[in-house]
Amino acid sequence: VIGALSSPNIVSSNKDGTETWIYDKIMSESETAIGSNGAVAVSSTRTMIVVIKFDKNHTVETVQYRQTSY
């Protein structure tokens, strides 16, 4: 998992001896469009949260994610 996603932002140890890794990524984009009325700057931000739960054998058990744009 680290090879694909790098190190997680948060690692928590659960009571049953398993781990949960949380990735929180923020991406910002901006572009400028030029038209007959002049230039217009447009920017957007996207966030993605990925939660990976491992079992007692350190195997991925579940993967959940949520993505937002604004």
Side-chain angles (χ1 to χ4, degrees):
V1 174
I2 289 177
L5 299 177
S6 74
S7 297
N9 297 86
I10 300 170
V11 175
S12 63
S13 297
N14 304 313
K15 291 180 180 181
D16 62 359
T18 61
E19 286 188 344
T20 300
W21 293 8
I22 301 173
Y23 292 85
D24 187 5
K25 303 292 183 186
I26 299 173
M27 297 152 279
S28 297
E29 298 176 338
S30 51
E31 58 184 90
T32 303
I34 300 174
S36 59
N37 293 332
V40 176
V42 177
S43 62
S44 64
T45 302
R46 294 185 308 163
T47 63
M48 177 171 265
I49 299 171
V50 180
V51 179
I52 301 174
K53 295 183 180 184
F54 294 87
D55 63 18
K56 290 183 179 182
N57 296 317
H58 306 288
T59 303
V60 174
E61 186 174 79
T62 62
V63 177
Q64 298 174 319
Y65 68 93
R66 181 179 326 142
Q67 183 173 347
T68 60
S69 298
Y70 52 92

